[in-house]
Amino acid sequence: MMKLSSRLLRTICLAALLGAAPTIGSFAQEAPAPEAAPAAVAPETVVATVGGEPITEADLSFAAEDLAQDLAQMPAEERRAFLLRVLIDMKVMAGAAKEAGMDQTELFAQRLKYLEERALRRAYFADAIAGQVTEEAIRAEYDTFVAQFQPAEEVHARHILVETKEEADAIKAELDAGGDFAAIAQEKSIDPGSGANGGDLGFFAKGMMVPEFETAAFALANPGDVSAPVQSQFGFHIIKLEEKRQSAPPAFEQVAPQIQQQVLMRVFNEKVEELMSGVTIDVTDPELKAAMDAQDAAQAAPAEGEAAQQ
């Protein structure tokens, strides 16, 4: 059975918090939220009463956190009504539970303590962790990425793919006589991905194509140059160079969501490590302790291997 490292488990915990926490920024990729109440409406605004007990905008927000996956399955215009129905049912059933004395049991006290700590954890995450992942922090991380970016050569090429060398030689002769590369590719290339587009492969860097094709493509010096037939596992290629360039870092908007997740994960780990420092943890269940020790060992092994290679 696969064992999960403590870092992976922490990532899973972070994912759970993200699914329940308020939005962490304009670049967040989050689950659909209920239809938003007007900005001027205060959290304490009462939207309904059940036996005289109020249900507020804040209650709708809390329910939306718990039911994010359910909300994602329904149209936005139906979400607030759905949440209100859930809260009405909750009020009625909670009242019945109190009348039955269920709120006086030891199990209820334990559950209440768990729910209180879960709510505090979410609040702390939203304020002390997610609150630090600002657009400024994301842009600073992006600027560091750009500063460290190493440009690589990229080529824009077309190709014609055929099954035999005889076909490739005949096409090369036709091209040498002035044939139109894109038109021939559309007619004769057996590559379903590029043939219909005149053999156009767009830009690609080293490591993205099979070695034989890559070597021939990058060996072409000037736009318009056409290779001799090149054999690969797919057949015989004739390659035309369209353009060469140096790669550039992606635009901020393109990578902002990924960078946000990286920054959030780093802040989350740093904050958890800080909070754990000096805290005594005693796992009294021997099986649970063994399982946690195994996870810690799995976490430490890759780090030790990396250190040994340096």
Side-chain angles (χ1 to χ4, degrees), residues 12 33 52 65 88 101 109 118 125 137 150 160 166 168 180 188 190 230-231 239 242 271 277 289 298 300:
I12 295 171
E65 293 179 5
I88 291 171
R118 186 182 69 171
F125 171 80
Q150 296 294 324
I160 300 170
E166 290 73 21
D180 183 274
K188 298 182 178 180
I190 62 173
V230 178
Q231 185 177 12
I239 308 166
E242 295 287 343
K271 183 59 69 173
S277 178
K289 186 177 187 311

Side-chain angles (χ1 to χ4, degrees), residues 138-254:
I138 297 169
R139 286 191 178 276
E141 188 81 4
Y142 174 77
D143 291 342
T144 300
F145 163 72
V146 171
Q148 297 174 347
F149 183 83
Q150 296 294 324
E153 186 178 33
E154 296 179 330
V155 299
H156 175 196
R158 296 177 184 268
H159 84 137
I160 300 170
L161 176 64
V162 292
E163 292 182 350
T164 68
K165 189 174 186 305
E166 290 73 21
E167 291 175 285
D169 288 337
I171 290 173
K172 181 63 166 63
E174 186 177 353
L175 292 169
D176 290 343
D180 183 274
F181 194 100
I184 296 173
Q186 287 181 325
E187 179 186 354
K188 298 182 178 180
S189 180
I190 62 173
D191 179 4
S194 68
N197 197 31
D200 196 347
L201 296 169
F203 278 98
F204 54 90
K206 289 183 178 178
M208 297 178 63
M209 301 293 182
V210 292
E212 304 88 349
F213 184 96
E214 176 184 292
T215 299
F218 278 88
L220 296 172
N222 302 304
D225 287 352
V226 176
S227 74
V230 178
Q231 185 177 12
S232 78
Q233 66 197 70
F234 301 106
F236 289 83
H237 310 260
I238 300 171
I239 308 166
K240 179 183 179 182
L241 177 64
E242 295 287 343
E243 185 181 354
K244 283 190 175 184
R245 72 179 183 187
Q246 293 293 307
S247 63
F252 173 75
E253 290 74 16
Q254 183 179 348

Side-chain angles (χ1 to χ4, degrees), residues 69-87:
Q69 291 185 345
D70 297 286
L71 294 175
Q73 307 302 316
M74 65 178 61
E77 65 273 12
E78 297 181 12
R79 293 171 187 164
R80 279 171 59 80
F82 166 75
L83 291 173
L84 182 56
R85 290 184 184 279
V86 170
L87 289 169

